[in-house]
Amino acid sequence: MRVYVPLTLAGLAAAHRAGELGPGPLTAYAVTPALREWYVSDDIEELEYAALNRAASASLRLIAGDPQAVRRRVVVAVDVADGDAVADPDHILDASSLGEVVIASAVPLSKAAAVHVDSDDADQDVTAAAAALGAADLGDDDAQFTVDGAEDHELLWFGVQEIPGLIG
């Protein structure tokens, strides 16, 4: 099963040094039954893209919670056994946790398929979105518009072998 783990650039650097994403439990995003129902598509690529975007939103939350974090969203796509990624049954109907799964233990970085990172030109919009996230959560439409501005940026695809250049 492909899962998408939200990180910051500092988190990616730590994972690279350790050789693993962790320690567990890890929050990730995947194509879950609830995500399938919400997205209403049978196209696995579209569903995986939706899970990737959910992870990008979670990465934005990590950035918002760390004033020192570089303002670039980071998502690592990893392959795990189906039984290793478990959706919390108490949250499967919660719209804010669609596609969310928990992985109990660390995942070797060797299981990573790709890394997705914002380009430099997203910096201003990600910075503004991180600052507006709290107000957006409280229902401020203008703040939500700002958060959506970050989501307009597509994450770039990088091979795992390119991590040293991303964190350097």
Side-chain angles (χ1 to χ4, degrees):
M1 163 181 264
R2 173 76 40 100
V3 299
Y4 300 90
V5 180
L7 294 173
T8 61
L9 277 175
L12 181 62
H16 181 64
R17 283 190 304 275
E20 65 184 16
L21 298 164
L26 293 170
T27 299
Y29 294 81
V31 178
T32 62
L35 183 76
R36 283 180 188 275
E37 186 176 321
W38 171 73
Y39 197 75
V40 191
S41 176
D42 290 330
D43 184 330
I44 191 64
E45 288 182 13
E46 286 181 16
L47 291 165
E48 286 183 347
Y49 183 72
L52 169 66
N53 284 327
R54 303 292 293 176
S57 293
S59 176
L60 179 64
R61 290 190 177 282
L62 294 173
I63 291 167
D66 181 359
Q68 303 303 316
V70 175
R71 292 344 209 189
R72 292 172 71 191
R73 297 168 298 161
V74 177
V75 175
V76 179
V78 296
D79 294 316
V80 299
D82 288 350
D84 289 349
V86 179
D88 183 344
D90 293 334
H91 292 143
I92 58 174
L93 299 178
D94 181 1
S96 67
S97 62
L98 285 171
E100 186 176 298
V101 295
V102 175
I103 303 167
S105 59
V107 177
L109 204 51
S110 62
K111 300 273 188 186
V115 179
H116 303 271
V117 181
D118 273 315
S119 64
D120 291 337
D121 69 343
D123 182 67
Q124 187 174 6
D125 287 335
V126 171
T127 299
L133 199 52
D137 287 347
L138 294 173
D140 183 316
D141 290 337
D142 291 334
Q144 186 61 52
F145 182 78
T146 301
V147 171
D148 292 344
E151 294 173 1
D152 288 342
H153 292 273
E154 296 286 331
L155 297 179
L156 302 177
W157 183 97
F158 295 92
V160 177
Q161 71 278 10
E162 296 178 90
I163 291 174
L166 293 169
I167 60 176

